[in-house]
């Protein structure tokens, strides 16, 4: 076979860009739609037009056989004027009127390539009615069909298929509709042809020659059956082919003239989609082979559906065998039905606005099944029609055997795992790729189907159309060198293959592997992958990564766990492209589903940790979706899920906590904990599959469906417990027995569940008590872990096994209120994780009551014990993020508002500050503000002071004016009421709150309330006699003014309040802290300069003290220097000096 290199073909995509832009006048008359001249002289060219030329010559003859060149006709029409130029629309109308259809088609194509689409030609060729014929036979020359007349050329369903209108138009929807119309026309004509052929079969069966005449035909060789039209056309074609091959050209011409109703250049003219027989020489050489008599009959008695028999069985034991022509027509009918299915697929893909979400993602190779396990769904198998069995002798091939791993994965899990191989066989091209031929005749059929699609597309980067041909040849070619070259072409067919093109190549590789077996896959396909592993284009490396996973089921098991695993490990560690590493992780997961070498466990564990530490989120997501479930399934079969995998992760978490006494690495903690979370579904599956009741699970009978909310939503199908178990019916049956066992029979002898209860849970609770409660990230991670853990193991397990262990540790009883009783566990992260991860798993009334009671007890215990409130705050922050729990938290806080202890009321007031930011304004107005106002009039001054931060947060977040006015009045009463004049702690809290909320509060509230009162407090602090109180107030004022200095302040407020307040503060700092005084002097100087400049120039935009500094670097330096007050005064002053 001569080598074929498709890369020598030059694409012509840029030819249209190199052509000059020309304008076309295309106007129609309103009467009949015929082309009309434009206003003025229709032949007058533009001023800068070149001399008229008309390059529309065609070598094809007209339908009437006149053979008049269009260029001659156009030149004659223009001979009257050398300066005139005929409009292209006039030329198109003349071509259509004179029935030069093929020339008009070429003219239309050239205009499209030049970007000058002509509406007249577009409408004509997009209308199927212009080309319809009245019957299945070619029309007579005098027959008139539509406005275009007869199209006198060979009948083919691909007449208009070579026109790819959509690629020349920007209007994709319109051209897609036109393509759909053409496909509908072709489909309709194909169905009519099928009906005509079936009618011929019926007629042939009814007019069968009587038995006596058959005997005469057999006994008298000179007497023959009359030749049928189809046989005559086929023999004519073969005779003409023989004459041409043997240089009898004159005889061939004469023979063609005598059969002018037949096109000898196109085999499809003999009959639509009839497979071409061998040439005359081959038929003569094989004529000595005895054929079974077509008239023999066999007496049989069967009751089998005819459609259920495979194609080769039909030819073996029929009741009556049809003659040769009937058999050929039957093959034609089957072939046309297959073509209709392909056209339907293409039509659906074109008419759909978006491709189906699942197409192209799941493994679905037609025409074959896995040894021992059929993984193809029935719907997919039925879409592939059985190929017609020819009367020629086919070469028989023994079935290919693949190495089956010694694994016990459920078919559902294995199918879900293989679904991550990105292949597609649901389209026309996908069907061709997955149906590899197994004989020379099938190769001919494949060529006949694919060539019409290759020819118009190969020059426009549609090279995936070549994949079926390359694969078929690579499968059947006897020379290893040629096969290697063809596979090299396959992997280098496209420079940077996109997603769809890679799917086609992968589908072809899998089909190739299923046909040739594991030995040739290892020897021929894997070297191609190895060559591309370091390719400069990431798309090519991505193809390698995806190929390793797709070919995993078809490789020898030794290669699976050695060479392929090493290739993927190298790519995971070295490749810089995220999408490549993502594909590597998915392929590694597929490898883990087939590997059965237990020595590779440690390597798999290290690969899991390495991929979990990847900086790309998409890679980590692929680890959780594919790799960890597949790795967990393997460890389950090895028996190491509970003994090695989960304990290893827990040990790493504990080691991380021991090393992080002064700073925990939260990212590593997230990595390990997320891996544990992904192992919850396989762990629960192990508990169910090793339970005492597993053997009693019965699938028949009334098995209730599993509730939709019974399990958390899985991250992928591989994390679905039903997929791991095998089916939802089996899972439902096991869940019924599981709940009954826990509720009535206990856990005696249930080793897998006892390990979870006695070893896993206590270790997890101990780890929870050691994490930092102030780290919201850690609290959230562990909370989500326990939530998924409890939801997966069920409500009965949570109530009887999980909650008691937490309650025993937390010890929330009245006699343990004292700190000396050892209640320090209440200050740990155990409280928020138990509240948000365990008590929120189920949302029924009793569950909500239990959560409310727990939070009330914790708030009371911590308040009476004078313990830190961090654990309670963490609980409120985590629960407050979900609006479902806002009412519940307000109920808990109201319990604290009306509590008899002032300590509890203080705690409740401070908790309101955390809740205000997430609650909607309606609840703030109806529930929060009334409670705060109640506490603001509390007899205890400490309770009233505790409400100030919450009031400040309301001023920062709420927009309702009435609500803001109520809060403003309450804060004003704190500042102006004489009873609070000497309340040092109240003044400290107000100043601290003003500094926190002032920059984000409403500008009017800041200008009219915050800054004036800060000025008063600064002025009053100048006369403070107690030095400790004076320095406390001054320090808080300094921080508040530093925060407010970055806000826009009007000139009036700055002159009347901001500058005076700074001066009063500077007076205090001169005596108490000279370092602060240097910074204040610089701030005052800058403010004064800005006030002067603002008076001389129009104030535009945001004018603030911070913007007066020189650029962002000066602002950053200023803010960073605020806390570094040990530096010399000169250096601090330099912070505010302008750069020269």
């Amino acid at each position: 076979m001569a080598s074929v290199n498709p890369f020598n073909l030059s694409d012509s995509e840029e030819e249209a860009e190199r052509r000059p832009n020309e304008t076309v006048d295309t106007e129609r008359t309103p009467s009949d739609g015929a082309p009309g001249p434009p206003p003025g002289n229709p032949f007058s060219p533009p001023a800068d037009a070149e001399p008229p030329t008309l390059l529309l010559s065609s070598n094809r003859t007209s339908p009437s056989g006149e053979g008049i060149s269009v260029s001659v006709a156009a030149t004659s029409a223009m001979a009257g004027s050398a300066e005139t130029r005929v409009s292209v629309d006039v030329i198109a109308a003349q071509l259509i009127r004179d029935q030069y259809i093929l020339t008009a088609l070429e003219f239309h194509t050239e205009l499209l390539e030049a970007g000058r689409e002509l509406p007249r030609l577009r409408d004509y060729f997009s209308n199927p009615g212009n080309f319809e014929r009245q019957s299945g036979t070619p029309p007579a020359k005098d027959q008139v069909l539509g406005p275009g007349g007869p199209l006198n050329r060979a009948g083919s369903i691909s007449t208009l298929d070579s026109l790819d209108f959509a690629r020349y138009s920007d209007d994709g929807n319109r051209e897609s509709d036109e393509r759909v119309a053409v496909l509908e026309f072709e489909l309709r004509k194909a169905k009519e042809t099928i009906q005509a052929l079936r009618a011929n079969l019926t007629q042939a069966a009814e007019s069968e020659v009587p038995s006596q005449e058959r005997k005469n035909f057999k006994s008298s060789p000179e007497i023959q059956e009359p030749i049928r039209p189809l046989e005559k056309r086929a023999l004519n074609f073969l005779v003409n082919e023989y004459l041409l091959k043997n240089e009898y050209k004159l005889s061939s011409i004469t023979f063609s003239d005598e059969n002018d109703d037949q096109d000898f250049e196109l085999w499809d003219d003999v009959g639509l989609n009839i497979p071409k027989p061998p040439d005359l020489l081959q038929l003569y050489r094989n004529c000595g082979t005895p054929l079974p008599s077509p008239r023999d009959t066999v007496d049989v008695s069967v009751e089998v559906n005819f459609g259920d028999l495979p194609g080769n069985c039909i030819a073996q034991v029929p009741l009556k065998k049809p003659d040769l022509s009937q058999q050929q027509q039957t093959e034609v009918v089957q072939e046309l039905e297959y073509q209709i299915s392909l056209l339907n697929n293409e039509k659906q893909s074109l008419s759909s606005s978006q491709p189906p979400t699942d197409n192209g993602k799941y493994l679905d190779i037609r025409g074959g099944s896995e040894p021992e396990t059929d993984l193809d769904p029935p719907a997919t198998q039925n879409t592939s029609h059985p190929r017609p069995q020819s009367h020629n002798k086919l070469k028989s091939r023994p079935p290919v055997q693949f190495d089956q791993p010694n694994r016990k994965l459920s078919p559902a899990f294995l199918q879900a795992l293989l679904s991550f191989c990105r292949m597609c066989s649901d389209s026309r091209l996908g069907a061709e790729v997955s149906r590899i031929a197994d004989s020379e005749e099938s190769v001919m059929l494949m060529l006949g189907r694919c060539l019409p699609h290759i020819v118009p597309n190969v020059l426009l980067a549609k090279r995936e159309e070549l994949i079926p041909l390359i694969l078929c040849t690579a499968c059947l070619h006897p020379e290893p060198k040629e096969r290697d070259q063809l596979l090299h072409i396959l992997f280098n067919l496209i420079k940077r293959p996109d997603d769809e093109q890679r799917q086609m190549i992968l589908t072809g590789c899998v089909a190739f592997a299923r046909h040739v077996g594991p030995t040739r896959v290892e020897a021929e396909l894997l070297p191609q992958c190895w060559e591309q592993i370091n390719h400069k284009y990431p798309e090519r490396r991505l193809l390698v990564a995806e190929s390793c996973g797709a070919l995993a089921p078809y490789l020898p098991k030794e290669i699976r766990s050695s060479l392929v695993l090493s290739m993927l490990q190298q790519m995971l560690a070295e490749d810089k492209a995220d999408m490549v590493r993502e594909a590597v992780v998915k392929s590694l997961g597929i490898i883990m589903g087939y590997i059965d070498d237990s020595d590779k466990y440690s390597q798999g564990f290290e690969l899991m940790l390495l991929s979990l530490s990847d900086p790309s989120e998409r890679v980590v997501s692929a680890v959780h979706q594919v790799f960890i479930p597949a790795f967990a399934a393997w460890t389950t079969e090895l028996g190491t899920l509970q003994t090695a995998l989960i304990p290893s992760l827990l040990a790493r978490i504990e080691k991380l906590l021991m090393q992080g006494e002064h700073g925990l690495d939260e990212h590593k903690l997230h990595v390990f904990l997320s891996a544990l979370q992904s192992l919850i579904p396989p762990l629960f599956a192990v508990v169910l599959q090793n339970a005492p009741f597993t053997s009693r699970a019965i699938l028949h009978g009334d098995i209730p469906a599993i509730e939709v909310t019974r399990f958390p939503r899985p991250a992928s199908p591989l994390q679905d417990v039903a997929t791991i178990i095998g089916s939802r019916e089996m899972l439902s049956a096991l869940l019924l027995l599981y709940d009954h066992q826990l509720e009535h029979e206990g856990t005696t002898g249930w080793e897998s569940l006892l390990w979870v209860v006695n070893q896993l849970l206590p270790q997890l609770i101990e780890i929870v008590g050691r994490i930092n409660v102030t780290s919201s990230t850690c609290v959230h991670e562990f909370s989500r872990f326990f939530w998924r853990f409890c939801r997966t193991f069920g409500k009965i397990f949570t109530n009887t096994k999980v909650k008691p262990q937490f309650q025993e540790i937390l010890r929330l009883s009245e006699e343990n209120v004292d700190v000396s009783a050892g209640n320090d566990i209440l200050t740990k992260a155990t409280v928020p994780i138990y509240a948000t991860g365990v008590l929120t798993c189920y949302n029924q009334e009793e569950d909500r009551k239990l959560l409310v009671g727990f939070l009330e007890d914790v708030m009371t215990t911590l308040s009476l014990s004078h313990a830190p409130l961090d654990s309670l705050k963490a609980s409120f922050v985590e629960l407050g993020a979900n609006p479902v729990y806002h009412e519940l938290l307000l109920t808990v806080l109201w319990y604290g508002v009306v509590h008899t202890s002032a300590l509890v009321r203080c705690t409740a007031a401070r908790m309101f500050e955390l809740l205000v930011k997430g609650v909607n304004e309606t609840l703030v107005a109806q529930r929060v503000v009334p409670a705060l106002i109640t506490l603001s009039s509390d007899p205890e001054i400490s309770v009233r002071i505790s409400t100030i931060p919450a009031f400040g947060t309301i001023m920062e977040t709420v927009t309702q004016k009435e609500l803001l006015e109520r809060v403003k009045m309450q804060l004003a009463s704190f500042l102006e009421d004489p009873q609070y004049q000497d309340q040092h702690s109240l003044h400290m809290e107000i100043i601290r709150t003003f500094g926190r909320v002032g920059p984000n509060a409403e500008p009017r509230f800041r200008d009219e309330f915050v800054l004036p009162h800060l000025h008063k407090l600064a002025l009053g602090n100048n006369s403070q006699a107690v030095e400790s109180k004076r320095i406390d107030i001054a320090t808080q004022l300094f921080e508040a003014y530093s925060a407010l200095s970055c806000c826009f302040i009007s000139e009036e407020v700055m002159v009347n309040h901001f500058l005076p307040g700074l001066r009063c503060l500077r007076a205090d700092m001169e005596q108490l802290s000279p370092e602060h005084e240097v910074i204040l002097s610089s701030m005052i100087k800058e403010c004064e300069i800005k006030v002067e400049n603002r008076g001389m120039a129009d104030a535009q935009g945001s004018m603030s003290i911070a913007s007066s500094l020189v650029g962002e670097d000066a602002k950053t330096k200023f803010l960073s220097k605020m806390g570094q007050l040990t530096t010399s005064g000169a250096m601090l002053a330099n912070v505010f000096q302008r750069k020269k």
Side-chain angles (χ1 to χ4, degrees):
M1 169 184 169
S3 59
V4 179
N5 189 357
F7 304 104
N8 293 332
L9 301 175
S10 61
D11 294 342
S12 58
E13 293 174 326
E14 299 178 356
E15 290 179 2
E17 300 177 3
R18 295 195 296 264
R19 302 188 180 186
N21 294 326
E22 300 179 5
T23 58
V24 181
D25 283 334
T26 56
E27 297 186 5
R28 299 173 180 267
T29 60
S31 60
D32 57 358
N41 186 358
F43 296 162
S44 57
D48 56 348
E50 297 178 358
T53 56
L54 190 61
L55 302 177
L56 296 173
S57 62
S58 173
N59 293 328
R60 299 189 184 183
T61 60
S62 67
S64 59
E66 296 172 356
I68 301 175
S69 173
V70 179
S71 63
V72 177
T75 305
S76 300
M78 297 176 58
S81 175
E83 296 297 322
T84 59
R85 183 168 182 169
V86 179
S87 169
V88 291
D89 192 56
V90 174
I91 298 172
Q94 184 68 27
L95 291 174
I96 294 175
R97 187 158 47 246
D98 293 342
Q99 291 299 295
Y100 296 101
I101 303 301
L102 297 180
T103 306
L105 179 60
E106 290 184 358
F107 187 31
H108 179 49
T109 304
E110 290 178 354
L111 288 176
L112 282 176
E113 291 177 349
R116 302 170 57 194
E117 185 184 41
L118 195 60
R120 176 183 299 278
L121 293 178
R122 180 199 64 206
D123 297 340
Y124 181 83
F125 288 109
S126 63
N127 183 8
N130 294 332
F131 310 101
E132 289 186 354
R133 299 183 177 183
Q134 302 302 321
S135 65
T137 60
K141 293 184 179 181
D142 57 350
Q143 212 172 350
V144 179
L145 299 175
L151 182 62
N152 189 15
R153 67 175 293 180
S156 171
I157 64 170
S158 300
T159 301
L160 298 179
D161 192 44
S162 59
L163 289 180
D164 191 359
F165 296 108
R167 74 171 168 239
Y168 299 106
S169 173
D170 293 332
D171 190 356
N173 293 332
R174 182 188 66 193
E175 301 302 346
S176 179
D177 294 341
E178 294 176 357
R179 177 67 173 155
V180 171
V182 173
L183 287 173
E184 289 176 346
F185 163 69
E186 294 174 348
L187 181 61
R188 186 168 67 254
K189 300 309 294 181
K191 289 181 178 178
E192 292 176 359
T193 307
I194 289 176
Q195 293 175 359
L197 289 170
R198 284 177 174 164
N200 290 342
L201 281 175
T202 304
Q203 183 179 1
E206 290 176 353
S207 61
E208 189 175 355
V209 182
S211 59
Q212 183 61 37
E213 294 184 15
R214 279 203 310 270
K215 293 178 181 178
N216 293 338
F217 296 150
K218 291 181 180 179
S219 60
S220 303
E222 67 276 8
I223 304 176
Q224 295 184 359
E225 293 185 45
I227 188 170
R228 292 185 174 89
L230 183 64
E231 296 172 341
K232 179 181 178 181
R233 297 173 71 85
L235 289 173
N236 286 347
F237 187 94
L238 294 176
V239 169
N240 183 73
E241 184 183 45
Y242 169 79
L243 293 174
L244 287 175
K245 285 184 178 179
N246 293 276
E247 301 298 323
Y248 298 108
K249 294 184 179 179
L250 293 178
S251 301
S252 173
I253 294 173
T254 305
F255 188 77
S256 299
D257 292 338
E258 292 175 349
N259 297 277
D260 57 352
D261 61 338
Q262 185 172 350
D263 185 358
F264 290 104
E265 295 180 359
L266 187 66
W267 167 256
D268 284 343
D269 186 66
V270 174
L272 194 61
N273 290 320
I274 295 177
K276 181 177 177 296
D279 56 22
L280 285 179
L281 179 61
Q282 192 68 27
L283 288 174
Y284 175 78
R285 289 174 176 173
N286 294 336
C287 66
T289 304
L291 295 175
S293 173
R295 299 301 180 187
D296 291 344
T297 59
V298 180
D299 292 330
V300 293
S301 177
V302 293
E303 194 165 335
V304 181
N305 234 345
F306 182 78
D308 295 338
L309 291 174
N312 55 357
C313 294
I314 298 173
Q316 290 175 1
V317 194
L319 289 175
K320 180 182 288 186
K321 294 186 179 182
D323 59 16
L324 191 58
S325 64
Q326 292 180 6
Q327 186 172 354
Q328 289 177 341
Q329 290 181 345
T330 304
E331 294 172 1
V332 171
V333 171
Q334 293 176 341
E335 181 66 24
L336 284 173
E337 289 175 346
Y338 173 69
Q339 291 290 340
I340 287 176
S341 68
L342 295 183
L343 289 172
N344 278 326
N345 288 338
E346 188 170 359
K347 174 185 171 184
Q348 292 173 3
S349 64
L350 283 172
S351 58
S352 175
S353 60
Q354 290 184 349
T357 55
D358 289 340
N359 283 355
K361 295 176 67 175
Y362 295 96
L363 177 64
D364 181 17
I365 302 299
R366 307 184 184 195
S369 60
E370 281 289 326
E372 302 182 8
T373 304
D374 187 5
L375 300 180
D376 290 339
T380 304
Q381 294 173 352
N382 293 337
T383 58
S384 180
H385 294 281
R387 302 301 306 134
Q389 199 64 272
S390 174
H391 59 280
N392 292 332
K393 183 173 66 176
L394 298 180
K395 296 181 180 179
S396 60
R397 298 171 63 255
V400 178
Q401 299 294 330
F402 297 98
D403 289 342
Q404 294 300 310
N406 185 19
R407 301 293 298 276
K408 300 177 182 179
L409 297 179
S410 68
F413 184 89
L414 193 57
Q415 176 66 22
L417 181 62
L418 290 176
S419 69
F420 287 92
C421 297
R422 299 184 56 80
M423 289 177 290
C424 174
S425 59
D426 292 336
S427 63
R428 175 196 60 78
L429 185 58
E432 296 289 1
V433 171
S434 61
R435 294 169 62 248
I436 285 191
D438 56 2
S439 69
E440 293 80 2
E441 181 186 10
S442 299
V443 172
M444 294 297 179
L445 292 175
M446 176 74 78
L447 287 171
R449 286 193 300 267
C450 294
L451 282 175
H453 301 283
I454 295 172
V455 173
N457 289 319
V458 70
L459 294 179
L460 297 175
K462 284 288 187 178
R463 288 178 175 162
E464 65 267 21
E465 297 284 354
L466 296 170
I467 296 174
L469 306 180
I470 296 173
L471 287 170
C472 289
T473 313
C475 279
L476 303 176
H477 203 284
E479 294 294 332
K481 183 178 180 181
E482 293 294 335
R483 294 200 302 265
D484 181 73
Q485 182 180 4
L486 286 167
L487 292 175
H488 180 76
I489 290 175
L490 175 66
F491 272 82
N492 294 274
L493 190 63
I494 302 166
K495 186 177 181 181
R496 305 183 74 164
D498 59 22
D499 190 59
E500 182 179 356
Q501 291 166 336
R502 287 196 310 275
Q503 290 180 30
M504 287 300 168
I505 295 175
L506 286 179
T507 307
C509 289
V510 171
F512 178 88
R514 298 177 66 166
H515 273 261
V516 303
T519 304
R520 281 183 60 183
V521 174
E522 176 190 354
E524 298 177 13
L525 270 184
L526 276 188
Q528 303 298 333
C529 295
W530 186 261
E531 288 179 4
Q532 311 254 347
I533 196 172
N534 292 317
H535 200 277
K536 65 177 180 178
Y537 292 129
E539 292 85 357
R540 300 281 277 275
R541 303 196 302 273
L542 182 59
L543 177 62
V544 173
E546 292 173 341
S547 300
C548 290
L551 295 174
Y554 312 103
L555 289 168
K557 57 184 179 180
E558 299 82 7
I559 298 298
R560 240 184 250 143
S561 56
S562 57
L563 177 60
V564 178
L565 195 61
S566 300
M567 288 172 58
L568 292 173
Q569 185 173 8
Q570 176 183 341
M571 296 182 72
L572 180 63
E574 298 178 359
D575 206 290
K576 297 180 180 179
D578 293 350
M579 61 179 181
V580 176
R581 298 198 305 277
E582 179 188 13
V584 167
V585 167
K586 292 180 179 179
S587 294
L588 280 172
I590 297 172
I591 293 292
M592 291 300 157
Y594 282 87
I595 198 170
D596 52 8
D597 183 2
S598 58
D599 295 336
K600 298 294 181 179
Y601 167 79
S602 57
Q603 186 178 358
F605 184 76
E606 294 301 325
L607 284 172
M608 182 185 73
L609 296 182
L610 176 64
S611 54
L612 282 171
S613 303
D614 195 278
S616 173
E617 291 185 4
R618 60 190 296 179
V619 176
V620 176
S621 176
V623 178
H624 292 292
Q625 292 177 4
V626 186
F627 185 87
I628 291 181
F631 188 60
W634 184 35
T635 57
T636 299
E637 295 182 25
L638 295 177
T640 57
L641 179 66
Q642 294 174 307
T643 59
L645 182 54
I646 294 179
S648 297
L649 290 172
L650 291 174
R652 279 168 168 76
I653 292 176
E654 290 182 335
K655 182 179 180 181
L656 198 63
L657 293 174
M658 292 177 59
Q659 296 174 348
E661 295 292 339
H662 305 289
L664 180 63
D665 190 341
E666 294 184 357
H667 175 68
K668 284 188 176 180
L669 180 64
H670 166 74
V671 167
F672 297 141
L673 193 60
S674 63
L676 271 180
Q677 184 169 301
S678 296
L679 291 175
I680 293 175
L683 177 62
F684 183 64
V686 169
V687 170
L688 291 180
Q689 291 170 335
N690 294 276
F693 53 77
T694 304
S695 59
R696 304 200 306 268
I698 301 176
L699 291 181
H700 58 79
D702 295 332
I703 301 177
I706 304 173
E707 295 182 7
V708 178
T709 58
R710 169 61 180 84
F711 293 100
R713 183 184 299 274
S716 79
L718 297 178
Q719 289 192 5
D720 189 350
V721 181
T723 303
I724 301 173
I725 294 294
S727 67
R728 299 196 70 82
E729 292 76 14
M730 175 60 75
L731 177 60
S732 180
L734 290 174
L735 286 177
L736 287 176
L737 297 172
Y738 170 78
D739 292 338
H740 182 270
Q741 182 85 15
L742 284 177
E743 194 170 5
H744 299 99
E745 300 182 19
T747 59
T748 305
W750 198 348
E751 296 299 330
S752 57
L753 186 67
L754 288 175
W755 178 85
V756 174
V757 175
N758 298 331
Q759 297 186 41
L760 179 62
L761 266 178
Q763 192 172 1
L764 285 172
I765 295 175
E766 181 187 358
I767 290 173
V768 162
R770 295 164 57 185
I771 68 173
N772 186 4
V773 70
T774 59
S775 172
S776 59
T777 303
C778 293
V779 171
H780 177 74
E781 292 284 345
F782 273 96
S783 173
R784 301 311 300 166
F785 172 82
F786 272 96
W787 188 88
R788 297 186 75 89
F789 179 83
C790 294
R791 286 303 297 261
T792 302
F793 277 80
K795 188 171 185 179
I796 299 176
F797 180 86
T798 302
N799 291 335
T800 59
K801 306 298 179 184
V802 180
K803 291 180 181 178
Q805 292 197 33
F806 272 98
Q807 291 167 357
E808 181 182 357
I809 292 177
L810 293 174
R811 298 193 299 274
L812 292 173
S813 54
E814 291 297 332
E815 61 269 14
N816 291 330
V817 172
D818 195 0
V819 180
S820 60
N823 275 329
D824 58 335
I825 190 67
L826 294 180
T827 64
K828 305 288 186 181
T830 311
V831 169
I833 290 171
Y834 175 59
T836 62
V838 178
L839 297 181
T840 61
C841 284
Y842 301 95
N843 203 25
Q844 298 181 359
E845 187 62 29
E846 61 270 18
D847 302 308
R848 297 175 69 88
K849 287 182 179 179
L850 185 61
L851 177 59
V852 169
F854 175 73
L855 292 176
E856 290 174 351
D857 291 344
V858 169
M859 182 170 62
T860 304
T861 306
L862 292 177
S863 301
L864 298 179
S865 303
H866 298 276
L869 302 177
D870 292 333
S871 60
L872 185 63
K873 290 180 180 179
S875 303
F876 270 73
V877 169
E878 187 70 20
L879 291 172
N882 190 347
V884 173
Y885 297 107
H886 287 171
E887 287 280 357
L888 184 146
L889 294 176
L890 289 172
T891 302
V892 173
L893 292 182
W894 185 252
Y895 166 83
V897 170
V898 299
H899 200 276
T900 56
S901 171
L903 295 173
V904 178
R905 296 199 299 274
C906 283
T907 301
R910 295 195 177 278
M911 292 299 108
F912 275 113
E913 177 190 357
L914 301 174
L915 195 58
V916 166
K917 290 184 178 181
V919 177
N920 62 67
E921 295 190 5
T922 302
L923 279 179
V924 172
Q926 296 177 356
R927 302 283 299 274
V928 177
V929 172
L932 288 175
I933 291 179
T934 301
L935 291 174
S936 65
S937 59
D938 194 270
E940 291 291 334
I941 187 66
S942 60
V943 177
R944 282 176 267 173
I945 294 173
S946 299
T947 62
I948 293 175
F951 280 125
T953 304
I954 292 175
M955 296 299 298
E956 186 182 13
T957 57
V958 175
T959 58
Q960 294 183 16
K961 291 185 178 180
E962 297 180 359
L963 203 58
L964 292 174
E965 286 298 325
R966 292 177 63 185
V967 174
K968 183 178 177 181
M969 290 174 58
Q970 185 61 49
L971 291 174
S973 68
F974 285 143
L975 289 167
E976 298 170 3
D977 196 327
Q979 63 175 325
Y980 300 121
Q981 287 183 358
D982 297 330
Q983 291 295 331
H984 175 72
S985 56
L986 184 142
H987 292 160
M988 290 280 293
E989 194 66 53
I990 285 182
I991 297 171
R992 187 182 300 112
T993 301
F994 281 174
R996 176 173 58 86
V997 306
N1000 301 321
E1002 186 185 14
R1004 182 180 174 185
F1005 170 73
R1006 181 173 60 242
D1007 293 345
E1008 297 180 359
F1009 188 81
V1010 173
L1011 290 175
H1013 282 95
L1014 284 178
H1015 179 201
K1016 291 181 181 179
L1017 290 170
L1019 185 62
N1021 197 50
N1022 291 148
S1023 58
Q1024 175 61 254
V1026 182
E1027 185 175 352
S1028 60
K1029 293 182 179 181
R1030 185 179 179 186
I1031 193 170
D1032 288 344
I1033 295 291
T1035 303
Q1036 288 297 326
L1037 283 171
F1038 178 81
E1039 295 180 0
Y1041 273 111
S1042 300
L1044 291 169
S1045 66
C1046 296
C1047 304
F1048 172 78
I1049 302 173
S1050 64
E1051 183 179 355
E1052 180 183 358
V1053 175
M1054 185 172 289
V1055 172
N1056 295 334
H1057 298 294
F1058 195 80
L1059 276 173
L1062 283 177
R1063 294 189 181 102
C1064 293
L1065 181 59
R1066 183 177 61 177
D1068 288 334
M1069 290 300 182
E1070 286 177 352
Q1071 303 176 12
L1072 303 173
S1073 178
E1075 295 177 341
H1076 286 80
E1077 188 268 336
V1078 174
I1079 297 177
L1080 288 171
S1081 298
S1082 299
M1083 292 172 65
I1084 293 171
K1085 184 176 179 181
E1086 293 295 329
C1087 289
E1088 291 173 345
I1089 292 173
K1090 286 304 169 185
V1091 170
E1092 295 176 1
N1093 293 339
R1094 198 177 298 178
M1096 294 171 13
D1098 293 332
Q1100 296 181 356
S1102 174
M1103 299 295 294
S1104 65
I1105 297 176
S1107 64
S1108 68
L1109 302 177
V1110 184
E1112 289 296 326
D1113 54 342
K1115 179 180 176 181
T1116 305
K1117 290 180 182 179
F1118 165 69
L1119 295 177
S1120 64
K1121 291 294 184 181
M1122 290 304 173
Q1124 302 174 4
L1125 300 179
T1126 57
T1127 317
S1128 65
M1131 292 181 65
L1132 289 173
N1134 290 335
V1135 172
F1136 299 96
Q1137 291 182 357
R1138 295 182 181 274
K1139 292 183 179 180
K1140 301 299 183 182

